[in-house]
Amino acid sequence: MKGVHGKILVVDLSKQQYQIEELPEEIYRHYLGGYGLGAYYLYKHIPADCDPLGPENILGFTPGLLTASGAGFSGRFSVCAKSPLTGKGQRSNGKYSSGGWGNANAGGIFGPAIKRSGFDAIFFKGQSHKPVYLLITQDGISLEDAGFLWGEDTVETENALMEKHGQRACVASIGPAGENLSLISGISNDKGRIAARSGLGAVMGSKKLKAICLTANKKIEYADRSKLQELNKFYFSRMKQFKSSQLIKAIGTRLDYAAPLMRV
């Protein structure tokens, strides 16, 4: 396959293990990536009556199909799980109602960093017995102790992991709100970009997952990279024509605001 790695990373926090799963091409053609790939995996693997803050819930980080390709406005990633806000419902006979889907998304450089880690998505299941963070480097994958980070806010966490693993490390994390299972907590990356909806910070906190830290730099192969670059240049040349638009001037939108966020 071209344009995707064909692999997802599934981390079992209860067992402190991970496995790499290969997905068939038809899954990508049907669900593409991002939101669709997350919906496919969660619907297939989460029991309908699971507790959103329990070990059976799965938390997914799913970049879009074109994320890290250089295509305009494609650098986002989705976070998905059974929502503790919409999905908890009423408890009956020790089980929860089927509940609802929860997702949020954010921009910045963390989405492309997932793709550069060599995976099309990362999913977490189970619950760790202690605070941990996932580390993916060019040399391997590991769950690291996050006790020294527990209680820190997201900017402090990001700074600490960048100091430990290098200034080019990309980090997504929760702060004290997520740790304390606040149902309005989000997941932060790039020191302030937040996947804020559906209470997914609480899901991350319930798993004792403090952060994800990514430093790998693996390439994605495309069927025709030169054509992709040609289309990107054409797209941006058309977009630049709108810099003189009176409407855009009125609302204050400038293309150079977005340029730093398109780092590949």
Side-chain angles (χ1 to χ4, degrees):
M1 288 185 288
K2 303 292 185 180
V4 295
H5 295 291
K7 299 182 293 184
I8 60 173
L9 178 66
V10 181
V11 181
D12 189 328
L13 293 167
S14 295
K15 297 180 180 179
Q16 300 284 289
Q17 298 175 347
Y18 69 86
Q19 63 181 16
I20 297 171
E21 296 184 8
E22 295 186 0
L23 298 180
E25 183 175 347
E26 62 190 53
I27 297 299
Y28 291 96
R29 290 194 175 276
H30 191 72
Y31 296 99
L32 302 182
Y35 191 105
L37 185 59
Y40 158 78
Y41 193 86
L42 266 61
Y43 185 81
K44 182 176 180 180
H45 293 283
I46 294 179
D49 58 1
C50 86
D51 179 353
L53 299 179
E56 290 183 315
N57 200 5
I58 295 174
L59 179 67
F61 291 76
T62 58
L65 181 65
L66 293 177
T67 297
S69 71
F73 305 102
S74 63
R76 304 188 74 82
F77 68 98
S78 291
V79 186
C80 54
K82 185 177 182 182
S83 169
L85 282 174
T86 66
K88 192 166 185 179
Q90 298 296 317
R91 194 177 182 103
S92 175
N93 297 323
K95 296 183 178 182
Y96 287 85
S97 62
S98 58
W101 162 265
N103 80 283
N105 66 83
I109 61 175
F110 187 76
I114 298 175
K115 282 290 191 71
R116 290 198 300 272
S117 293
F119 302 105
D120 301 310
I122 303 173
F123 294 97
F124 296 90
K125 61 182 181 179
Q127 290 179 327
S128 176
H129 66 280
K130 65 178 182 178
V132 295
Y133 68 93
L134 176 70
L135 175 65
I136 303 179
T137 70
Q138 198 74 358
D139 298 323
I141 304 166
S142 61
L143 284 170
E144 303 288 333
D145 178 67
F148 73 104
L149 297 170
W150 205 250
E152 302 289 337
D153 68 29
T154 57
V155 174
E156 292 166 338
T157 297
E158 188 167 345
N159 285 338
L161 290 176
M162 290 175 71
E163 182 176 352
K164 186 176 179 68
H165 298 292
Q167 292 302 305
R168 293 188 65 82
C170 297
V171 178
S173 65
I174 56 171
E179 294 171 3
N180 289 286
L181 310 187
S182 167
L183 298 188
I184 58 171
S185 59
I187 300 169
S188 175
N189 63 284
D190 297 284
K191 300 180 181 178
R193 294 183 173 275
I194 301 178
R197 298 179 179 178
S198 304
L200 299 182
V203 176
M204 193 163 168
S206 74
K207 296 183 177 299
K208 291 289 194 295
L209 178 64
K210 177 63 176 178
I212 303 170
C213 181
L214 309 174
T215 68
N217 190 24
K218 299 182 179 180
K219 302 297 183 181
I220 304 171
E221 294 186 9
Y222 294 93
D224 191 340
R225 179 173 283 278
S226 61
K227 185 64 175 180
L228 176 63
Q229 293 173 338
E230 177 187 335
L231 291 172
N232 286 340
K233 289 179 180 179
F234 173 75
Y235 175 78
F236 284 116
S237 68
R238 291 292 300 273
M239 286 295 296
K240 288 179 181 178
Q241 296 176 16
F242 291 94
K243 295 183 75 171
S244 60
S245 165
Q246 293 301 312
L247 175 60
I248 288 181
K249 287 182 178 179
I251 63 177
T253 300
R254 294 173 56 194
L255 289 178
D256 53 345
Y257 286 166
L261 307 180
M262 297 177 183
R263 191 179 83 189
V264 175

